[in-house]
Amino acid sequence: MSSDPNAKSRRFPLPLDKLGAGAAPKVREVLMPQRHLREAAADAARQQSPRGLGMDSDSVRRRMVQRLQQEGLNDERVLQALATVPRHEFVDSALAIQAYEDTSLPIGHGQTISKPSVVGRMIAMLFGGATARQTGQLGKVLEIGTGCGYQAAVLALLARQVVSIERLKPLHDKARLNLGAVRAASVRLIYGDGRLGHPPAAPFDSIIAAAGGEDIPPAWLAQLAPGGRLVAPTVAPGGRGQLLVVVDHQVEAGASRFVRTEHEAVLFVPLKSGVM
């Protein structure tokens, strides 16, 4: 992320692929009743960045990172990225005071922003892939489930390019607005079905999912580059809860194989098909 003090106020053009989007609706001007005007003003006020909470202070994020470090997150690259991205700008202002607690928070439409510890843990796992170990960065990343855009902003500091897919149009639009306040030109937002991945941009050196399904969709494996690593939650054996799963695409003697390992229990929203 740039150290330019004016960077926060700048906007960047995010390339968008609106899969299946229809023509823009016609707009007509209407007179709003006073009650609606008051409600609109209240909504606008809620969209403003929090003031007087100290949320824009680097020290607030540093304290969060120190707690995560004490709990075992030790990848300096990931810690620095978490210390850089202003998480409070990706949640509703009413929840901003909780932004640097290690907790998931609602972002609307039945979705949540993941705990900072979970975001850090999964990204640190990506760095264990063969290509990431060799290059020291995550290369081209596919993110399944953009949500509010927070994890994409963290990934953008650690990858060459981030392609992020969101199936819910309101969240896709919200992420575009949130990321517009951050210099993250390497992020490409896709409105589409995350289970299908994004073949036009494949292969990917790293794939990370923010939703858990019954198993890893075959499309993700097909789009994982040799030497690449995938990290995603899946339903645990017996259907009880979810586990973090890591899949490495290894190539030996000219033959590809996918090596799967299972890790700790997690809790993510379900992975669903289609767009809304």
Side-chain angles (χ1 to χ4, degrees):
M1 179 172 289
S2 170
S3 60
D4 182 351
N6 296 319
K8 185 176 179 182
S9 64
R10 295 179 181 173
R11 300 269 174 181
F12 64 91
L14 281 175
L16 298 175
D17 290 349
K18 299 183 180 178
L19 305 184
K26 293 182 179 180
V27 178
R28 61 174 182 169
E29 185 176 357
V30 296
L31 295 177
M32 297 177 64
Q34 288 297 317
R35 178 175 61 84
H36 291 176
L37 288 173
R38 289 194 298 271
E39 291 173 354
D43 288 341
R46 283 194 291 272
Q47 295 302 316
Q48 296 299 315
S49 297
R51 296 288 185 266
L53 297 176
M55 292 293 104
D56 58 347
S57 170
D58 288 343
S59 63
V60 177
R61 292 191 291 280
R62 291 287 175 187
R63 286 195 294 273
M64 177 192 75
V65 166
Q66 288 170 1
R67 291 193 297 271
L68 297 179
Q69 195 169 22
Q70 292 168 0
E71 294 168 4
L73 182 61
N74 54 23
D75 190 301
E76 290 295 335
R77 297 161 296 191
V78 178
L79 291 168
Q80 181 58 45
L82 291 172
T84 301
V85 177
R87 190 171 184 252
H88 68 278
E89 293 190 354
F90 292 83
V91 300
D92 188 90
S93 58
L95 300 173
I97 198 165
Q98 302 177 57
Y100 298 105
E101 297 175 7
D102 191 25
T103 184
S104 59
L105 296 170
I107 55 175
H109 310 282
Q111 307 299 300
T112 60
I113 180 175
S114 296
K115 296 180 179 180
S117 60
V118 173
V119 172
R121 167 68 169 154
M122 294 178 70
I123 296 177
M125 282 178 154
L126 286 179
F127 272 109
T131 298
R133 289 198 310 270
Q134 293 170 4
T135 63
Q137 52 109 349
L138 299 179
K140 185 190 292 186
V141 178
L142 173 64
E143 180 190 34
I144 310 297
T146 312
C148 62
Y150 173 70
Q151 184 170 261
V154 176
L155 288 166
L157 299 177
L158 303 166
R160 184 176 73 254
Q161 181 184 15
V162 179
V163 176
S164 185
I165 305 177
E166 176 55 56
R167 64 181 291 271
L168 300 177
K169 188 62 164 58
L171 287 184
H172 171 76
D173 293 339
K174 177 183 286 190
R176 183 189 182 192
L177 292 174
N178 289 342
L179 288 165
V182 181
R183 291 181 64 90
S186 62
V187 177
R188 182 182 181 192
L189 298 181
I190 307 293
Y191 170 51
D193 186 344
R195 287 185 60 88
L196 305 178
H198 191 59
F204 298 96
D205 303 299
S206 306
I207 298 178
I208 186 169
E214 293 294 326
D215 208 346
I216 304 298
W220 298 0
L221 299 179
Q223 295 170 38
L224 184 62
R229 171 171 279 199
L230 180 156
V231 178
T234 65
V235 174
R240 296 182 179 179
Q242 296 174 334
L243 294 175
L244 269 185
V245 169
V246 172
V247 178
D248 289 293
H249 185 177
Q250 299 180 356
V251 179
E252 296 179 359
S256 289
R257 65 172 186 158
F258 295 95
V259 178
R260 172 183 173 131
T261 56
E262 295 179 347
H263 297 265
E264 66 266 28
V266 288
L267 180 60
F268 280 82
V269 296
L271 178 66
K272 296 182 179 181
S273 299
V275 295
M276 294 180 63

